[in-house]
mmCIF file of all heavy atoms in Angstrom:
data_model
loop_
_atom_site.group_PDB
_atom_site.id
_atom_site.type_symbol
_atom_site.label_atom_id
_atom_site.label_comp_id
_atom_site.label_asym_id
_atom_site.label_seq_id
_atom_site.Cartn_x
_atom_site.Cartn_y
_atom_site.Cartn_z
ATOM 1 N N PHE A 94 163.543 17.279 221.244
ATOM 2 C CA PHE A 94 162.103 17.309 221.465
ATOM 3 C C PHE A 94 161.841 17.789 222.886
ATOM 4 O O PHE A 94 162.464 17.297 223.825
ATOM 5 C CB PHE A 94 161.499 15.912 221.295
ATOM 6 C CG PHE A 94 161.609 15.377 219.902
ATOM 7 C CD1 PHE A 94 162.748 14.686 219.503
ATOM 8 C CD2 PHE A 94 160.585 15.556 218.992
ATOM 9 C CE1 PHE A 94 162.853 14.177 218.218
ATOM 10 C CE2 PHE A 94 160.675 15.058 217.705
ATOM 11 C CZ PHE A 94 161.808 14.375 217.317
ATOM 12 N N THR A 95 160.916 18.726 223.031
ATOM 13 C CA THR A 95 160.541 19.225 224.348
ATOM 14 C C THR A 95 159.035 19.096 224.493
ATOM 15 O O THR A 95 158.279 19.532 223.616
ATOM 16 C CB THR A 95 160.948 20.698 224.532
ATOM 17 O OG1 THR A 95 162.357 20.819 224.282
ATOM 18 C CG2 THR A 95 160.633 21.186 225.937
ATOM 19 N N SER A 96 158.601 18.489 225.617
ATOM 20 C CA SER A 96 157.174 18.274 225.829
ATOM 21 C C SER A 96 156.846 18.361 227.307
ATOM 22 O O SER A 96 157.663 17.995 228.158
ATOM 23 C CB SER A 96 156.770 16.892 225.309
ATOM 24 O OG SER A 96 155.419 16.618 225.603
ATOM 25 N N ASN A 97 155.647 18.854 227.601
ATOM 26 C CA ASN A 97 155.144 18.800 228.970
ATOM 27 C C ASN A 97 154.892 17.343 229.319
ATOM 28 O O ASN A 97 154.555 16.539 228.445
ATOM 29 C CB ASN A 97 153.834 19.582 229.105
ATOM 30 C CG ASN A 97 154.042 21.070 228.928
ATOM 31 O OD1 ASN A 97 155.102 21.603 229.231
ATOM 32 N ND2 ASN A 97 153.022 21.735 228.411
ATOM 33 N N LEU A 98 155.055 17.026 230.599
ATOM 34 C CA LEU A 98 154.758 15.679 231.060
ATOM 35 C C LEU A 98 153.307 15.608 231.527
ATOM 36 O O LEU A 98 152.725 16.626 231.941
ATOM 37 C CB LEU A 98 155.707 15.282 232.180
ATOM 38 C CG LEU A 98 157.169 15.127 231.747
ATOM 39 C CD1 LEU A 98 158.075 14.985 232.956
ATOM 40 C CD2 LEU A 98 157.314 13.919 230.824
ATOM 41 N N ARG A 99 152.751 14.445 231.465
ATOM 42 C CA ARG A 99 151.353 14.228 231.836
ATOM 43 C C ARG A 99 151.148 14.503 233.323
ATOM 44 O O ARG A 99 151.945 14.080 234.166
ATOM 45 C CB ARG A 99 150.977 12.786 231.503
ATOM 46 C CG ARG A 99 149.525 12.440 231.770
ATOM 47 C CD ARG A 99 149.282 10.997 231.537
ATOM 48 N NE ARG A 99 150.131 10.269 232.500
ATOM 49 C CZ ARG A 99 150.249 8.971 232.540
ATOM 50 N NH1 ARG A 99 149.631 8.225 231.685
ATOM 51 N NH2 ARG A 99 151.018 8.387 233.422
ATOM 52 N N LEU A 105 159.859 17.393 229.659
ATOM 53 C CA LEU A 105 160.869 16.453 229.219
ATOM 54 C C LEU A 105 161.511 17.018 227.967
ATOM 55 O O LEU A 105 160.826 17.505 227.072
ATOM 56 C CB LEU A 105 160.217 15.097 228.892
ATOM 57 C CG LEU A 105 161.060 14.039 228.195
ATOM 58 C CD1 LEU A 105 162.182 13.561 229.115
ATOM 59 C CD2 LEU A 105 160.190 12.876 227.771
ATOM 60 N N GLN A 106 162.841 16.981 227.938
ATOM 61 C CA GLN A 106 163.550 17.357 226.718
ATOM 62 C C GLN A 106 164.502 16.215 226.382
ATOM 63 O O GLN A 106 165.329 15.817 227.211
ATOM 64 C CB GLN A 106 164.333 18.648 226.899
ATOM 65 C CG GLN A 106 165.011 19.077 225.610
ATOM 66 C CD GLN A 106 165.761 20.386 225.755
ATOM 67 O OE1 GLN A 106 166.521 20.567 226.710
ATOM 68 N NE2 GLN A 106 165.529 21.280 224.814
ATOM 69 N N ILE A 107 164.334 15.687 225.154
ATOM 70 C CA ILE A 107 165.184 14.569 224.739
ATOM 71 C C ILE A 107 165.736 14.809 223.336
ATOM 72 O O ILE A 107 165.114 15.473 222.509
ATOM 73 C CB ILE A 107 164.441 13.209 224.755
ATOM 74 C CG1 ILE A 107 163.254 13.213 223.781
ATOM 75 C CG2 ILE A 107 163.996 12.838 226.142
ATOM 76 C CD1 ILE A 107 162.625 11.846 223.573
ATOM 77 N N VAL A 109 167.005 12.524 220.091
ATOM 78 C CA VAL A 109 166.691 11.185 219.607
ATOM 79 C C VAL A 109 167.481 10.890 218.337
ATOM 80 O O VAL A 109 167.676 11.762 217.485
ATOM 81 C CB VAL A 109 165.173 11.059 219.318
ATOM 82 C CG1 VAL A 109 164.841 9.727 218.671
ATOM 83 C CG2 VAL A 109 164.363 11.245 220.575
ATOM 84 N N ARG A 131 158.029 14.232 213.844
ATOM 85 C CA ARG A 131 158.168 15.057 215.054
ATOM 86 C C ARG A 131 156.830 15.148 215.792
ATOM 87 O O ARG A 131 156.778 15.061 217.012
ATOM 88 C CB ARG A 131 158.702 16.444 214.715
ATOM 89 C CG ARG A 131 160.161 16.433 214.261
ATOM 90 C CD ARG A 131 160.712 17.842 214.061
ATOM 91 N NE ARG A 131 160.810 18.553 215.323
ATOM 92 C CZ ARG A 131 161.741 18.334 216.257
ATOM 93 N NH1 ARG A 131 162.663 17.396 216.062
ATOM 94 N NH2 ARG A 131 161.751 19.020 217.374
ATOM 95 N N ALA A 133 154.341 12.995 215.763
ATOM 96 C CA ALA A 133 154.056 11.698 216.386
ATOM 97 C C ALA A 133 154.900 11.491 217.641
ATOM 98 O O ALA A 133 154.397 11.000 218.659
ATOM 99 C CB ALA A 133 154.302 10.573 215.383
ATOM 100 N N VAL A 134 156.166 11.883 217.593
ATOM 101 C CA VAL A 134 157.045 11.756 218.764
ATOM 102 C C VAL A 134 156.524 12.633 219.903
ATOM 103 O O VAL A 134 156.448 12.189 221.061
ATOM 104 C CB VAL A 134 158.505 12.118 218.405
ATOM 105 C CG1 VAL A 134 159.362 12.275 219.651
ATOM 106 C CG2 VAL A 134 159.096 11.050 217.481
ATOM 107 N N LEU A 135 156.140 13.856 219.599
ATOM 108 C CA LEU A 135 155.626 14.757 220.640
ATOM 109 C C LEU A 135 154.329 14.233 221.255
ATOM 110 O O LEU A 135 154.108 14.386 222.469
ATOM 111 C CB LEU A 135 155.423 16.168 220.078
ATOM 112 C CG LEU A 135 156.725 16.922 219.771
ATOM 113 C CD1 LEU A 135 156.438 18.195 218.999
ATOM 114 C CD2 LEU A 135 157.497 17.210 221.055
ATOM 115 N N GLU A 136 153.489 13.604 220.463
ATOM 116 C CA GLU A 136 152.259 13.010 221.005
ATOM 117 C C GLU A 136 152.587 11.905 222.001
ATOM 118 O O GLU A 136 151.939 11.795 223.044
ATOM 119 C CB GLU A 136 151.393 12.458 219.874
ATOM 120 C CG GLU A 136 150.729 13.533 219.034
ATOM 121 C CD GLU A 136 149.983 12.971 217.830
ATOM 122 O OE1 GLU A 136 149.727 11.741 217.791
ATOM 123 O OE2 GLU A 136 149.658 13.762 216.932
ATOM 124 N N VAL A 137 153.582 11.099 221.697
ATOM 125 C CA VAL A 137 153.989 10.028 222.615
ATOM 126 C C VAL A 137 154.589 10.629 223.879
ATOM 127 O O VAL A 137 154.273 10.190 224.996
ATOM 128 C CB VAL A 137 154.991 9.065 221.937
ATOM 129 C CG1 VAL A 137 155.592 8.094 222.946
ATOM 130 C CG2 VAL A 137 154.311 8.313 220.804
ATOM 131 N N LEU A 138 155.424 11.645 223.731
ATOM 132 C CA LEU A 138 156.067 12.257 224.900
ATOM 133 C C LEU A 138 155.052 12.883 225.846
ATOM 134 O O LEU A 138 155.212 12.825 227.069
ATOM 135 C CB LEU A 138 157.083 13.309 224.459
ATOM 136 C CG LEU A 138 158.297 12.788 223.682
ATOM 137 C CD1 LEU A 138 159.214 13.939 223.293
ATOM 138 C CD2 LEU A 138 159.040 11.721 224.470
ATOM 139 N N ALA A 139 154.003 13.493 225.309
ATOM 140 C CA ALA A 139 152.990 14.152 226.135
ATOM 141 C C ALA A 139 152.209 13.161 226.997
ATOM 142 O O ALA A 139 151.577 13.553 227.976
ATOM 143 C CB ALA A 139 152.032 14.940 225.246
ATOM 144 N N GLN A 140 152.258 11.894 226.692
ATOM 145 C CA GLN A 140 151.542 10.873 227.460
ATOM 146 C C GLN A 140 152.375 10.306 228.607
ATOM 147 O O GLN A 140 151.899 9.472 229.370
ATOM 148 C CB GLN A 140 151.136 9.726 226.528
ATOM 149 C CG GLN A 140 150.207 10.133 225.425
ATOM 150 C CD GLN A 140 150.034 9.018 224.397
ATOM 151 O OE1 GLN A 140 150.443 7.881 224.609
ATOM 152 N NE2 GLN A 140 149.436 9.357 223.267
ATOM 153 N N GLN A 141 153.613 10.741 228.748
ATOM 154 C CA GLN A 141 154.533 10.171 229.732
ATOM 155 C C GLN A 141 154.415 10.864 231.088
ATOM 156 O O GLN A 141 154.074 12.037 231.176
ATOM 157 C CB GLN A 141 155.976 10.271 229.225
ATOM 158 C CG GLN A 141 156.189 9.683 227.848
ATOM 159 C CD GLN A 141 155.764 8.236 227.739
ATOM 160 O OE1 GLN A 141 156.118 7.398 228.577
ATOM 161 N NE2 GLN A 141 154.988 7.932 226.694
ATOM 162 N N SER A 142 154.751 10.125 232.137
ATOM 163 C CA SER A 142 154.802 10.700 233.486
ATOM 164 C C SER A 142 156.247 10.673 233.980
ATOM 165 O O SER A 142 157.023 9.781 233.607
ATOM 166 C CB SER A 142 153.908 9.915 234.449
ATOM 167 O OG SER A 142 154.436 8.630 234.678
ATOM 168 N N LEU A 146 159.313 7.668 233.742
ATOM 169 C CA LEU A 146 160.536 7.925 232.985
ATOM 170 C C LEU A 146 161.790 7.933 233.847
ATOM 171 O O LEU A 146 162.896 7.891 233.316
ATOM 172 C CB LEU A 146 160.417 9.244 232.227
ATOM 173 C CG LEU A 146 159.377 9.249 231.113
ATOM 174 C CD1 LEU A 146 159.300 10.623 230.464
ATOM 175 C CD2 LEU A 146 159.680 8.179 230.075
ATOM 176 N N LEU A 155 159.482 3.758 226.610
ATOM 177 C CA LEU A 155 159.375 4.960 225.781
ATOM 178 C C LEU A 155 160.090 4.756 224.443
ATOM 179 O O LEU A 155 159.569 5.136 223.390
ATOM 180 C CB LEU A 155 159.942 6.177 226.516
ATOM 181 C CG LEU A 155 159.959 7.482 225.719
ATOM 182 C CD1 LEU A 155 158.560 7.868 225.242
ATOM 183 C CD2 LEU A 155 160.591 8.602 226.546
ATOM 184 N N GLN A 158 157.839 2.706 222.277
ATOM 185 C CA GLN A 158 156.687 3.493 221.823
ATOM 186 C C GLN A 158 157.091 4.462 220.709
ATOM 187 O O GLN A 158 156.344 4.651 219.743
ATOM 188 C CB GLN A 158 156.073 4.275 222.990
ATOM 189 C CG GLN A 158 155.384 3.410 224.006
ATOM 190 C CD GLN A 158 154.945 4.198 225.238
ATOM 191 O OE1 GLN A 158 155.363 5.331 225.476
ATOM 192 N NE2 GLN A 158 154.090 3.569 226.043
ATOM 193 N N LEU A 159 158.266 5.067 220.840
ATOM 194 C CA LEU A 159 158.744 5.990 219.807
ATOM 195 C C LEU A 159 159.039 5.249 218.504
ATOM 196 O O LEU A 159 158.726 5.738 217.417
ATOM 197 C CB LEU A 159 159.980 6.745 220.293
ATOM 198 C CG LEU A 159 159.741 7.724 221.442
ATOM 199 C CD1 LEU A 159 161.063 8.309 221.933
ATOM 200 C CD2 LEU A 159 158.771 8.818 221.039
ATOM 201 N N PHE A 181 168.309 7.482 222.769
ATOM 202 C CA PHE A 181 168.317 8.833 223.349
ATOM 203 C C PHE A 181 169.740 9.390 223.235
ATOM 204 O O PHE A 181 170.689 8.743 223.652
ATOM 205 C CB PHE A 181 167.895 8.794 224.813
ATOM 206 C CG PHE A 181 166.507 8.266 225.026
ATOM 207 C CD1 PHE A 181 166.265 7.203 225.877
ATOM 208 C CD2 PHE A 181 165.415 8.835 224.374
ATOM 209 C CE1 PHE A 181 164.991 6.712 226.067
ATOM 210 C CE2 PHE A 181 164.130 8.356 224.558
ATOM 211 C CZ PHE A 181 163.922 7.283 225.407
ATOM 212 N N PHE A 184 168.674 13.384 227.542
ATOM 213 C CA PHE A 184 167.455 13.059 228.278
ATOM 214 C C PHE A 184 167.407 13.935 229.531
ATOM 215 O O PHE A 184 168.182 13.719 230.467
ATOM 216 C CB PHE A 184 167.462 11.579 228.655
ATOM 217 C CG PHE A 184 166.120 11.026 229.025
ATOM 218 C CD1 PHE A 184 165.373 10.308 228.090
ATOM 219 C CD2 PHE A 184 165.593 11.210 230.301
ATOM 220 C CE1 PHE A 184 164.148 9.793 228.418
ATOM 221 C CE2 PHE A 184 164.363 10.700 230.637
ATOM 222 C CZ PHE A 184 163.633 9.977 229.697
#
Side-chain angles (χ1 to χ4, degrees):
F94 295 87
T95 304
S96 175
N97 292 331
L98 293 170
R99 183 185 62 184
L105 170 67
Q106 183 178 48
I107 61 170
V109 174
R131 290 186 67 75
V134 168
L135 289 170
E136 288 174 15
V137 171
L138 295 179
Q140 298 170 11
Q141 307 304 311
S142 68
L146 293 178
L155 177 58
Q158 291 173 346
L159 293 174
F181 299 125
F184 198 99

